[in-house]
Amino acid sequence: AQSVTQLDSQVPVFEEAPVELRCNYSSSVSVYLFWYVQYPNQGLQLLLKYLSGSTLVKGINGFEAEFNKSQTSFHLRKPSVHISDTAEYFCAVSDYNNNDMRFGAGTRLTVKP
Amino acid sequence: DTGVSQDPRHKITKRGQNVTFRCDPISEHNRLYWYRQTLGQGPEFLTYFQNEAQLEKSRLLSDRFSAERPKGSFSTLEIQRTEQGDSAMYLCASSIGLALTDTQYFGPGTRLTVL
């Protein structure tokens, strides 16, 4: 079965600095990969997803992620963060064999002024 | 498009009581998913419906849990004889298509506290 590991539980960063949130997955077959964001007291919202094709995926709010099959990673990046990016970020994976999506434990991004 | 709604938003109950949660998906969305999220963890898949048919259940869904989507619109999740370990946020999501690659839209969740 597929699984996801988010390597950092908390990432503090100053406003306008770049950020990378790390995600590694394991699966025996080809995968689909997702990043979701959860703002305080709100539901999860899709940031971006990788299905196939170009390994660099651009999402909403200036975020992007790169699928690296050899390193089984799907790290999320933003070149310059804002205070409003403070939230919990979840990486998720699904594959052709399963109808469920497996989420990582989440990374809490805190952007400081 | 009003989004996915869940009711209630919070539920406090005593151990042994039954509780029922409701999820209203986005109109015309075919698939409806239930997840459970405990503190410090990501959502865990519980079950999903395609229209009114329940197609898959996680092993996390013990016999005390039952879910329905009788007319292919709203869904209910019932927990019988609640235990303290059932305390969690219960999330509902819906998607318009039949593929897992279709974007799932999440509701705000129902937070259950079992005393």
Side-chain angles (χ1 to χ4, degrees):
Chain A
Q2 73 274 39
S3 67
V4 175
T5 302
Q6 291 185 244
L7 300 165
D8 306 294
S9 60
Q10 298 187 56
V11 173
V13 64
F14 287 105
E15 192 174 19
E16 298 184 5
V19 70
E20 178 179 82
L21 306 184
R22 298 181 293 168
C23 172
N24 285 89
Y25 69 91
S26 66
S27 175
S28 58
V29 298
S30 296
V31 296
Y32 308 123
L33 293 156
F34 308 80
W35 274 100
Y36 279 84
V37 60
Q38 188 173 32
Y39 298 105
N41 300 314
Q42 295 187 29
L44 279 82
Q45 179 182 1
L46 181 69
L47 273 178
L48 48 81
K49 60 183 177 182
Y50 170 78
L51 304 181
S52 64
S54 173
T55 57
L56 183 63
V57 181
K58 293 189 182 297
I60 62 172
N61 300 341
F63 284 93
E64 64 181 30
E66 186 159 17
F67 170 59
N68 189 319
K69 187 175 182 179
S70 63
Q71 297 186 6
T72 61
S73 67
F74 190 56
H75 301 333
L76 181 71
R77 301 186 184 98
K78 186 170 182 177
S80 176
V81 294
H82 303 290
I83 298 287
S84 59
D85 291 324
T86 294
E88 189 90 19
Y89 291 79
F90 293 95
C91 182
V93 63
S94 65
D95 64 37
Y96 297 133
N97 292 337
N98 294 282
N99 281 304
D100 61 303
M101 191 159 53
R102 302 290 174 92
F103 285 81
T107 297
R108 180 169 297 278
L109 174 64
T110 303
V111 182
K112 304 175 182 179
Chain B
D1 184 350
T2 58
V4 178
S5 61
Q6 294 187 245
D7 183 69
R9 294 291 304 275
H10 304 274
K11 178 69 177 178
I12 300 174
T13 191
K14 293 183 179 180
R15 188 176 53 185
Q17 298 295 305
N18 299 343
V19 294
T20 300
F21 309 141
R22 177 179 170 125
C23 170
D24 285 88
I26 294 172
S27 179
E28 299 181 354
H29 274 200
N30 297 302
R31 283 203 172 179
L32 187 148
Y33 301 81
W34 284 100
Y35 293 85
R36 181 178 69 187
Q37 185 178 17
T38 53
L39 201 61
Q41 298 298 318
E44 297 172 294
F45 169 79
L46 293 178
T47 187
Y48 87 92
F49 292 83
Q50 185 168 301
N51 299 313
E52 66 275 9
Q54 187 174 17
L55 296 187
E56 188 162 335
K57 294 193 290 186
S58 162
R59 63 182 181 278
L60 296 174
L61 216 63
S62 74
D63 292 345
R64 296 184 297 104
F65 289 72
S66 63
E68 294 182 343
R69 193 183 184 198
K71 297 182 179 179
S73 56
F74 73 92
S75 175
T76 57
L77 178 68
E78 180 183 16
I79 309 175
Q80 296 181 327
R81 306 181 303 281
T82 52
E83 302 173 356
Q84 288 185 326
D86 297 330
S87 295
M89 179 76 86
Y90 289 85
L91 302 173
C92 175
S94 69
S95 65
I96 193 167
L98 303 181
L100 191 57
T101 52
D102 293 313
T103 299
Q104 293 185 29
Y105 295 85
F106 283 79
T110 294
R111 182 170 295 284
L112 172 66
T113 303
V114 182
L115 302 176

